[in-house]
Amino acid sequence: MDPIIVADRLGKSYGPRVALSDVSFAIAPGEVIGLLGPNGSGKSTLLRILAGYLPPSSGEVRLDGLDVVRDGFAVHERIGYVPEDAPLYDGMRVAEFLRFMARIKGLRRVAAARAVGASIEALNLGAVREAPIFRLSRGYRQRVAIAQALLGDPPVLLLDEPTNALDAFQVIGVRELIRGFAGRRTVIVASHVLAEIGRMATRTMMLVDGRLLTQDAMALAAAATPRLCVRAAGAAEAVRACLAAVAGVGAVEQAADGSFRVVAAPRPGQEPDLAAAIAAALVGAGFALSELAPEAADLEAVFLDLTRARRAAA
């Protein structure tokens, strides 16, 4: 299947400041992509370029075969975009605002009415459809912003920090909504919250200092070097020394709670039972072992590893 979005060596500079540098990727139809990075990493700049609202300084983007700069009007018909802190017309009522946005998108009266009804239903806005926007909670405002992005049934959605400042229940609602788009729409969700991206996305790209570190952090997490969480009673330095001396141990890190994270050393073709070796070493040295469990690699570990490597190479 041909990709619906292809970015080729994108760059964006504001005078001497480089916001994006040599960013390339491809996204297949129906993927929910997490765009992860700290504040100021270039996520919003990238989304604005993909939406056709900001021209790149170098490189190009094609969406559904269209150049986002030269074919801007046609691209806008295929995209629903929700910027961070999306501006809404507070003086309008919800349904009124959505009808207004539908007409701006070129939908005629009957088609606009159908599109508004479908968006209100998809976002569960029926209870507030006649409410003034200025009276809405933060969660409902975010739903209205996403509802306007769905008008016209665009195949691509670009969402910039969609769960920012929402409470726990609102976050869950938006998360489930976005996950429900998988397979039916192509979605790019930008966020600096690792845990949320991991729960929403089918694939995660990581952007730091304007550079794309990986197109698939989840695959890196799955293939990460095995790690074990170890707790043992005894002097911390003595426990650390005992762990470090075990064959097959590559690194030992002490956590704030007193536990140790043991990272296996890469040994191609030789996979010893590291847990058994650690248990035998600690017990044999007289330490009381209270926990020894595998620790699944997560996006946080991948993000930290890639960031350290990137900054060490800079």
Side-chain angles (χ1 to χ4, degrees), residues 54-116:
L54 183 68
S57 301
S58 59
E60 67 172 10
V61 180
R62 302 193 73 82
L63 188 145
D64 205 12
L66 301 169
D67 185 283
V68 298
V69 176
R70 293 192 299 268
D71 306 309
F73 286 110
V75 167
H76 291 166
E77 292 176 352
R78 292 163 169 78
I79 285 179
Y81 174 46
V82 181
E84 186 178 7
D85 296 322
L88 303 175
Y89 291 103
D90 284 351
M92 288 185 169
R93 298 179 185 274
V94 171
E96 178 188 12
F97 169 73
L98 294 176
R99 287 193 296 269
F100 173 71
M101 294 302 296
R103 298 303 296 273
I104 285 180
K105 292 187 177 188
L107 299 179
R108 297 183 179 275
R109 189 176 300 274
V110 174
R114 288 175 180 161
V116 168

Side-chain angles (χ1 to χ4, degrees), residues 11-20 42 44-46 48-49 54-55 57:
K12 183 64 182 179
S13 298
Y14 300 96
R17 187 174 75 85
V18 177
L20 291 177
S44 295
T45 297
L46 179 56
R48 289 176 189 136
I49 291 174
L54 183 68
S57 301

